[in-house]
Every structure is written in C-alpha cells, then in structure tokens.
Amino acid sequence: MLESMWRKRVRQAGIAMAGLAAAVLGAWHPAGAQDAVIQPGYAAVTGYSGTLSYSAPEGADPDDYRAPDWTGPALRVIDLTSVEPFGSVTPASKTLTVTAEQVGQVFGVALDDAPQPNIYVAATSLYGVTIYRPDESGNYARARNGGAGAQYGPGQFGPAQLGGGSGSVWKIDGATGEVSLFANVDNGGSVASLGGLAYDPRSRQLMVVDRNEGLVHRFSLDGVQRGSYDHGTEGRPPVGLPAAPYSGAPAVTPESPAFETERPDTWGLPAPNRRIFAIAVHQNRLYYSVAEGPQVWSVGISASGPISSSPRLEVQSPALAFGTEITSISFDNQGRLYAAERGLQTGDYRLDQLAGEGTARVLRFSPKPPGDPTPGLWAATPQSYSIGFAPQHNNAAGGVAHGYSYDQNGFVDGGGCRQVVWATGERLLDPGDAEPGNFLTVDGLQGSLLSLVRPTNIPPVQSWFVDFDDEPGDADYRGHMGAIAYLSACAPPVAPPQPVPPAPAPPAVVCPPGSSYSNGQCVVDLACPAGTQFNPATQTCVYVGCPPGLVLQDGQCVPPPQTCPQGTFYYQGSCYPLSCPPGMIKQPNGACACPQGQIFQNGQCVPQACPPNTIKLFNGICIPENIIPVPPPPPQCPPHQKLENGVCVDLPIAPPPPPQCPPGKVVKNGVCVDPPIVNPPILCLPPRQIINGQCKCPGNQVFQNGQCKPPVFQPPVVNPPILCLPPRQIINGQCKCPGNQVFQNGQCKPLVVQPPVVKPPVVQPPVVKPPVLCLPPKVLQNGVCKNPPIVVPPPVVKPPVFKPPVVNPPVIKPPVIKPPSPQPPSPQPPVFKPPVIQLNPNAGTQIRPQLQVNPNALNPQPSPPRPAEPTNPPNQPVRPLFDALQGLQQLQRQ
C-alpha cells in the first residue's frame, strides 16, 4: 500500500520514471540518452486528433461544419515503465504530445537507431478525409464531393506552408522534440495517402507505403529517395502469380469530380492484389501485408538497400468481415509473427465511426516444427488475443508492438524482453451490455502477456489498459486509434533454436493464379457479376463500396427492394444465382474447389499428376519427395528425466513438506515466522470510493474541500509579446537584426570582420663557425687538427748490373772503288746506332736486350755493288748481327 501511494505521489508530481528505467534496464545508449524524447520502456502511439464543431449558419447542416481538431494529439509518447494492477487503467505519463496542427492526421510510426532515437510518422486517410469550400460568407464549409476549388480541411495533412500534404513523412527530433518535414512521397496529392513505416538498421533506410500506387518507397536518413519496390510486378510473378501492374490512372484529389468523401472506393486505392499497408523488418527481410486474403508476404533486403530478393507468401488468414486489413506487423523473441487487423474504412462524414467495429483481431502465427510436411513456413491456423471487454473481444484498432515484462510491483523488468504484447484498441472496458456512463470509455492501449492467447484471458481481466488522450471518451467512437512503436534495448528477435538441424524450408503455399489456399486445398470464390465481389464473411456477393446487406442503386447504397432466397443475391432487379465455375464443387465455407485428385489451373480443374518419387505443390510444380526429410524419432529419456523441446531434462525435485509451526506462527518461505500485521479496513466516505486499495474520487475528479470536483484546467502561461522596433525584427522569439548584421548605436550594421594580425616569422641566422687553421706538420681531418699519417716508402729495388759480353768487332776494310768518269759523288756509309737496352726490374736476373735498329741501317739506300764477301761458315753467327755487336763494344770503350 505504501509503495502504491509512493508511486501515485511520483506521478502526481509529474516526475518521469526515466531514472528508474535506466537503473532497471542498464546502460543501453551512449551518454545523453537520458535526455532523449523516448526512453526504453516508452511507446510512441498515433491516433485520431478528435473533432471540432463550428457554428453553422441557420438552416445549414451542422455536419458541414465539423473538422478534425488540429489542436488535438496526433502522436503521444507514453511512459510504460510501470503499470497498475490487472484490469485497471494506468494513468501513464505522456512525456511528449505532437498535435495535428504540426503533422496532420498520422497512422504509421517508426523509430531509428540514433543514440537519441528519432520518431517518424506518416500521413494517413484511415480516419477519413475532409475537404471544404468557402461558403457564401467566406467561412469554412465542408463538402461531401470533390470538384473545382475544393481543398483539404484544416488539420488533415499537416501545415501546407511547410510542404505538408497527403504524401508527407514527418520527423520528431529525438533530442529536442522539434517537428520537421522529413520527405514527401510523390503521390500527386492523392486522397489515398500513405500506409505503414519501417526502419532497417542494417541498410539505414526508412521505408514507407504509398497507398496510391501500392509501392514501398525507400529513403536514406537524409530524406532522399533511393528506390521503390512494386509487389504487383516484382513480388507476384516469381512465385507463379500473374503480374498486377498499376493501372496508371491519375491520382484522386479533392478537385476530382468522382471523389466522394463517404465512399473509400472512390479514393483511388489500388486493387486488393497490390494494395499494401503494414510493413516490418525482420532478419534482413521486409514483411508486408496485402489486402487480398488478407496476406502477409516477405522479400529480402540487401545490405546496400534494394528490395527485390526472393519474394514469398508467408501467411494468409481470412478476415472476419469484408474490408478488414492487416495494418501492423511485429515479432517476439521466439520469431513468431503478430498481425494487427483494422476494420473496414468507412468514410463516416460525422468523423465518429471511422472503421468497422468488432471485427479486428491481433493474430499470432508460429513457425512450423521441423519435419512438418505441410506446405509453407508457418502453422496454418493462427492464435489470437482477447482485445477489449465487449462481446467477441475483437476490438483491436490496427497497432501492435512488443515490450518489457513487469515485476510483482508493476515496475518494468529489463530482463523480460518482448514478453508483453501491446495493442491499440477501442471500447476496451465497455462490457457491451451496459448503458454509457456505467463504465470507463477507454480508447488506447491494452497490454497482455504473450502466453495469454485464447481461450485464456476472456474477457481480458489479466491485461493492463492505458487511455490515449486522458479525456472522457464517447461510446460511439470507432477507429480512433492508430499504431505503436515501442523502444527497448533488447537484441533483435530471432527464431527459436531447434533441437535438430532444421530441414530446408519448403516453398510457401502459392496456389495457381485465380485461386487461394483454404483448408488444405486451392479454392476459388463464387462467380460474382460485374461491380460486385465475393465476401467470405457473408458467403455471398456484395457491391463494391457498400456494406454487406446493401445494394448500389443510383449511386447510393440502399437496402435491396426484395429478399432473395438462399444461394442468390439481389442484382440489377432480380435474384442472381451464386454458383461455382464448371467442374468445381461448392465447399461448406462457400468456396469452390476441384474434385479430389485435381487442381485448379488456367481456369479449369486438371489432374494432379507428377512423375514417380515426386510430389506436386499447390502451384503445380513437382519436386522430389526427399526435399522434406522425415525427422528422427524423439529420444527415449531415462526414468528420472522427461522430454522437453526435443531434449531430455531432469525431472523437478519435489519440495519438502512445510514445517509444522507452533501456535502463533505461520509458514513463510519454508520458515516459521510471526504472522503479518493486518491493516484495519479503510474508512472511505462518499462521494469518494475505494479504488485499488485507496480512497479516491471516481474518474478523473479530485478531492477538494470535502467534495469530488473535476480538475481545474490551468491555462498555459503566455509570455508577453516582444516589443521590437525597426530596423530589428523578431527572429526565433528574439529581437535581432536581419541577416548577419549587428545592432550598434541604434542601427543594424554589417558585421565588420577584423582581419587577423599576422606576425612575420622570426628567422634565426645560421651560426657560421670560423675555419680551423692547423700548424704544420698537422693537418685538418673531420674538423680536427691531427698529425699526418706516417707513409712507409716502398722498398728500393736495385736493378741488376748487366755486363755485356766482350765481343771483338771485326775489322771492316772498305773496298777500293775507282770512280767512273764522270765520277759520281761518293756514297756515305750507313750510320749505325747502338741498340738501347731497357732493363725490366720485374724480370729477375734474366735480361733480354731489346735492340733498336735504325731503319736506314737495315734498309740502306741503294749503293754501288760491293765486292763479294767470303761465305760464312755454318757455325758462325749472322754477319750483320756480329758487326752490330762489335760496334756497340767499341762505343762503350770510348
């Protein structure tokens, strides 16, 4: 009780639980995260901002003077770090409110992975579309139909002066809460507007659904578009389905004559087989919902961003009513897929009942166990949660997310990641059989533990509830809630571990074109005439744009003029029979199927035959039987163990019996202790009541002067206007000079920038050292005077003395020549030069004389013939050499 009172005082003081959440959750982001707009354990939630009524002229339709409340909340950040006990409304703190005046009406919401996460919201027409034309007095007046001069109403799509429109994505800064335009999808101003948002942390891009063309656009975090994905032409053909291209029709705008605000089928939405809404990122794949079915598909996302790899159909679950769509997708820690539905878009002109009621669920799809031979990756039948107290408990509003669990005191448990499923809903505490005023009207959030799927928790008495706008609601409102983005510090969800290696996943169930999968076979709908379509909920044909049970006549939905028998419906003045195509059999659920052993292909039933050792999938493809291996039998566990998730684990040990305590003692945690002190009953006098163990006033009233009174509204503090005289102007709330001017001496003057003073660099002269002078005999070596090195002279080599041999020169007697008459000049005898002897010091004692002979001596000039000499004996040297040696010896003697 004391702790509950303490928590109440904390909330009344307006103190957020950020400190408590940080202590419990631990450090999850860098410094400064405590100042972020959204903290772990908080949720960003979107919803309709409410309706304003203007004064209508006398005789005018008051509904023509109703419009969205642009001062009401379009997005709120809600502190979910603590909750009240089950079944009660938690007065959670709203730490940030963004109004429709700032962003218009929004549904899709996403968070990025910045240290202080930014919030993104997308424009929507799910809450209806208001257009107006000025009336005769120039005042605001709504219009039901489009035409020249029509415009979107105030508060519909954000401020136009900031570029806001039906394709706008807005960014709320995670540190300051400042709102700015992030990007605009080029949808031509379409009334269809946008769908869901999703952020991919690996490629760091934001993805948004265009409800006009059925595309998923990719934006980098600088707001630049990087590409798009077309399910109709890129997702369907790879799995054997015919392409569903965009029609190419111009976008429907307020000035389109065919546009009717009360008929969503005139808003230019794509065909159901390419109409996308919900998107979510899980294990590097983009999961998205398709209106046809409804279905959930997925496609791979590359690390660089493009979306186009291996599309596949994941799940398909027939809706409870015509027009119901899946508008949000989430995953828990075990890899299970959660899909939140939203009822039929109504286009209610009064802006009260914006969606069909009692037909929207929160579904949970579980992966198939290994070895399951049925086609697809997921169990065929989904589980669901009980949402709201009203009968059938199908009061979901289209938002789903996962958050932390709570301890026994209601505080967040940081270790319990994704243990609570939060869903948006309406009439959450309305029992359905009580008069308004006898119950709290809560449109907002419902939180339930993951394990509380049906049939448990019906009605949801073990759930937590949070009101969105903290204002008394209206029991007639429908479809006023939007989507959720919950911030946690948990790791990304992964698929649960398997005890045996999983087999290759068989292909998803894809039936041939024109058929759909239902109850283990491919079926087709009953044949409906032009302008109508088959409604699985009513098992009949309904007019496009009209609720079930009404027919279209003269452009209006009216009751049929006659009642048609079973198996027929009223169409163009008669009862039209409902029948199956030729060769098909009508099933108990109203669908048409082929006979046993046949499959529907190319508009007819054909035999289902495949070659031996193969099986045929629902898309007509034959694959080998061993593509789906048979799992091994489960292990046999010993007596002291049991089989749990395919593994033998020890059986729990039975606890010992409790001790026997003496009188006056009680058992607590296996020990005898004194009994607890029981507080006396609380005395609570009217008009207060005992609520959650405390004496409180009912509803949102406060106790003052002995009475329960409504809380006094404190008007906001308005700062006095700033007096700013020319030439200065009011800029960002301050009186400043325009541009880069400064205010000096009563005038705005340009800012004079003084050039910086540049000092010349100080240059130090180089230090010159005087030359070093060395006195002889020292010499300068490496800057130092040193003695010169001692040079050892080479040894003196004396040449050997050559003594030539003594040769006696021959006596040469010149011949006696008698001169002729006339007598010629006497010839000169040749001049002999002694030979030059060069000594080689390296030749040792062996000396070979080298002779230099005058060439004139060896080649004398012609002379007169000499007298014949006697022939030398054979043993004597050559005569000329002998003569030369004698001449040499004679010269030496001289």
Side-chain angles (χ1 to χ4, degrees):
M1 176 178 176
L2 292 176
E3 182 173 277
S4 178
M5 294 176 63
W6 173 79
R7 287 164 58 191
K8 179 182 178 183
R9 286 197 295 269
V10 170
R11 290 195 183 97
Q12 289 177 342
I15 301 176
M17 306 295 292
L20 175 63
V24 175
L25 302 177
W28 69 283
H29 272 312
Q34 286 81 7
D35 299 328
V37 168
I38 185 167
Q39 303 277 350
Y42 289 23
V45 184
T46 59
Y48 177 57
S49 65
T51 306
L52 285 178
S53 295
Y54 299 86
S55 177
E58 185 177 356
D61 185 353
D63 289 346
D64 289 343
Y65 294 86
R66 293 170 61 87
D69 183 0
W70 63 81
T71 65
L75 173 132
R76 307 196 83 176
V77 175
I78 303 177
D79 180 0
L80 298 177
T81 56
S82 64
V83 291
E84 294 291 339
F86 287 138
S88 60
V89 179
T90 296
S93 174
K94 314 302 189 298
T95 60
L96 175 70
T97 297
V98 178
T99 66
E101 183 180 13
Q102 297 172 281
V103 296
Q105 304 304 319
V106 294
F107 186 94
V109 57
L111 308 173
D112 64 16
D113 58 354
Q116 296 172 314
N118 301 298
I119 307 172
Y120 303 85
V121 291
T124 187
S125 59
L126 277 187
Y127 312 129
V129 178
T130 57
I131 61 174
Y132 75 99
R133 299 185 187 89
D135 60 12
E136 296 178 356
S137 303
N139 297 321
Y140 169 86
R142 284 181 66 192
R144 296 177 183 266
N145 301 326
Q151 307 174 41
Y152 288 119
Q156 179 67 56
F157 288 132
Q161 64 270 23
L162 298 181
S166 65
S168 295
V169 177
W170 301 88
K171 175 182 176 181
I172 296 93
D173 188 271
T176 64
E178 181 182 357
V179 179
S180 61
L181 180 65
F182 172 74
N184 265 322
V185 174
D186 185 11
N187 64 353
S190 170
V191 172
S193 193
L194 304 179
L197 282 173
Y199 175 71
D200 178 26
R202 186 173 73 147
S203 61
R204 298 187 59 78
Q205 61 183 348
L206 186 73
M207 287 165 278
V208 57
V209 173
D210 177 7
R211 295 275 284 176
N212 176 56
E213 298 185 17
L215 302 177
V216 178
H217 297 278
R218 301 184 293 110
F219 290 87
S220 51
L221 293 184
D222 56 1
V224 177
Q225 182 167 342
R226 301 300 178 181
S228 61
Y229 169 74
D230 189 337
H231 165 71
T233 59
E234 297 178 71
R236 292 171 57 88
V239 299
L241 296 177
Y246 176 57
S247 64
V252 175
T253 67
E255 293 190 327
S256 301
F259 169 54
E260 300 180 26
T261 61
E262 298 174 90
R263 291 187 55 190
D265 61 308
T266 67
W267 295 3
L269 295 169
N273 57 2
R274 63 175 288 117
R275 187 187 309 162
I276 298 175
F277 198 105
I279 51 175
V281 175
H282 176 61
Q283 293 184 345
N284 300 329
R285 294 184 68 84
L286 177 69
Y287 286 75
Y288 57 92
S289 67
V290 180
E292 183 182 58
Q295 301 170 341
V296 175
W297 289 62
S298 76
V299 63
I301 310 173
S302 68
S304 59
I307 307 170
S308 62
S309 173
S310 62
R312 68 180 182 228
L313 172 62
E314 298 286 352
V315 297
Q316 175 170 304
S317 180
L320 297 179
F322 173 75
T324 298
E325 286 190 65
I326 295 173
T327 52
S328 292
I329 298 172
S330 184
F331 292 86
D332 66 12
N333 270 352
Q334 302 180 44
R336 293 176 293 198
L337 187 154
Y338 292 71
E341 296 177 332
R342 183 178 174 87
L344 174 70
Q345 192 172 6
T346 62
D348 179 26
Y349 192 69
R350 283 188 52 83
L351 302 176
D352 290 338
Q353 299 188 3
L354 306 178
E357 65 171 315
T359 62
R361 304 164 293 177
V362 173
L363 304 176
R364 183 174 78 177
F365 296 87
S366 299
K368 292 190 313 183
D372 189 336
T374 57
L377 302 175
W378 307 85
T381 303
Q383 298 170 304
S384 64
Y385 290 85
S386 172
I387 305 296
F389 278 74
Q392 307 305 320
H393 313 290
N394 294 324
N395 285 5
V400 65
H402 288 82
Y404 294 109
S405 58
Y406 299 93
D407 62 18
Q408 60 183 359
N409 297 318
F411 292 114
V412 69
D413 179 10
C417 289
R418 298 185 179 88
Q419 297 300 310
V420 173
V421 54
W422 287 98
T424 55
E426 60 196 21
R427 302 172 58 203
L428 293 176
L429 299 182
D430 180 359
D433 55 359
E435 293 294 328
N438 295 330
F439 57 89
L440 293 178
T441 304
V442 176
D443 292 347
L445 303 179
Q446 175 182 320
S448 306
L449 295 175
L450 297 186
S451 59
L452 297 181
V453 294
R454 297 178 190 243
T456 59
N457 203 26
I458 297 179
V461 294
Q462 300 182 62
S463 297
W464 301 283
F465 302 93
V466 177
D467 193 33
F468 176 70
D469 59 4
D470 298 327
E471 296 290 337
D474 192 320
D476 293 331
Y477 287 168
R478 304 289 185 271
H480 283 222
M481 287 305 302
I484 315 171
Y486 188 101
L487 180 62
S488 68
C490 303
V494 295
Q498 302 294 338
V500 295
V509 177
V510 178
C511 290
S515 63
S516 60
Y517 179 76
S518 177
N519 297 328
Q521 57 184 331
C522 292
V523 299
V524 299
D525 297 332
L526 294 172
C528 293
T532 65
Q533 60 185 8
F534 183 72
N535 185 354
T538 61
Q539 298 298 310
T540 186
C541 297
V542 297
Y543 284 82
V544 176
C546 289
L550 300 181
V551 299
L552 186 64
Q553 284 191 347
D554 300 328
Q556 295 185 351
C557 296
V558 298
Q562 68 182 83
T563 302
C564 292
Q566 185 72 22
T568 64
F569 81 107
Y570 182 80
Y571 181 72
Q572 293 185 356
S574 63
C575 292
Y576 189 91
L578 298 173
S579 60
C580 290
M584 304 195 75
I585 303 172
K586 189 175 182 181
Q587 304 297 305
N589 60 0
C592 302
C594 292
Q596 186 69 25
Q598 296 186 357
I599 190 170
F600 183 81
Q601 275 189 320
N602 300 325
Q604 59 183 347
C605 295
V606 298
Q608 184 178 8
C610 276
N613 300 323
T614 62
I615 58 176
K616 194 168 191 177
L617 301 181
F618 291 103
N619 57 4
I621 298 175
C622 297
I623 62 173
E625 289 180 339
N626 58 5
I627 195 172
I628 306 175
V630 178
Q636 298 296 325
C637 297
H640 66 281
Q641 292 186 330
K642 66 175 182 178
L643 186 65
E644 187 174 290
N645 296 327
V647 180
C648 292
V649 297
D650 293 333
L651 292 172
I653 300 176
Q660 298 295 327
C661 296
K665 299 286 186 178
V666 296
V667 179
K668 183 177 182 181
N669 298 327
V671 181
C672 294
V673 297
D674 293 329
I677 300 175
V678 179
N679 294 322
I682 300 174
L683 179 62
C684 191
L685 301 178
R688 291 189 293 175
Q689 306 172 5
I690 297 178
I691 301 174
N692 298 328
Q694 300 182 19
C695 193
K696 297 181 179 181
C697 290
N700 294 323
Q701 300 183 12
V702 296
F703 189 71
Q704 292 181 347
N705 301 325
Q707 296 181 348
C708 290
K709 298 180 180 180
V712 178
F713 173 74
Q714 297 293 338
V717 178
V718 180
N719 295 323
I722 300 174
L723 180 60
C724 191
L725 299 178
R728 289 189 293 176
Q729 304 173 4
I730 297 178
I731 301 174
N732 296 328
Q734 298 182 6
C735 193
K736 298 181 179 180
C737 289
N740 294 324
Q741 300 183 9
V742 295
F743 190 72
Q744 293 180 348
N745 301 325
Q747 295 181 349
C748 289
K749 299 180 179 180
L751 179 63
V752 178
V753 179
Q754 297 293 338
V757 178
V758 181
K759 295 181 179 181
V762 178
V763 180
Q764 297 293 338
V767 178
V768 180
K769 296 181 179 181
V772 179
L773 300 179
C774 297
L775 299 178
K778 294 186 177 182
V779 295
L780 183 65
Q781 289 185 353
N782 298 325
V784 180
C785 293
K786 295 182 180 180
N787 291 320
I790 299 174
V791 180
V792 179
V796 179
V797 180
K798 296 181 178 181
V801 178
F802 174 74
K803 295 181 179 183
V806 178
V807 179
N808 292 322
V811 178
I812 301 173
K813 294 180 180 183
V816 178
I817 300 173
K818 293 180 179 183
S821 183
Q823 186 176 355
S826 300
Q828 296 295 328
V831 181
F832 291 94
K833 292 182 180 182
V836 179
I837 300 175
Q838 294 182 353
L839 298 180
N840 187 354
N842 297 328
T845 58
Q846 184 179 0
I847 300 175
R848 294 179 181 179
Q850 297 180 1
L851 303 180
Q852 291 185 354
V853 182
N854 189 353
N856 296 324
L858 298 179
N859 297 295
Q861 297 294 325
S863 58
R866 297 175 64 185
E869 295 290 342
T871 304
N872 296 329
N875 296 329
Q876 291 184 1
V878 181
R879 187 70 184 185
L881 179 59
F882 179 77
D883 295 340
L885 291 175
Q886 282 187 342
L888 178 61
Q889 186 177 11
Q890 187 178 0
L891 292 174
Q892 289 180 347
R893 291 175 179 174
Q894 293 176 358

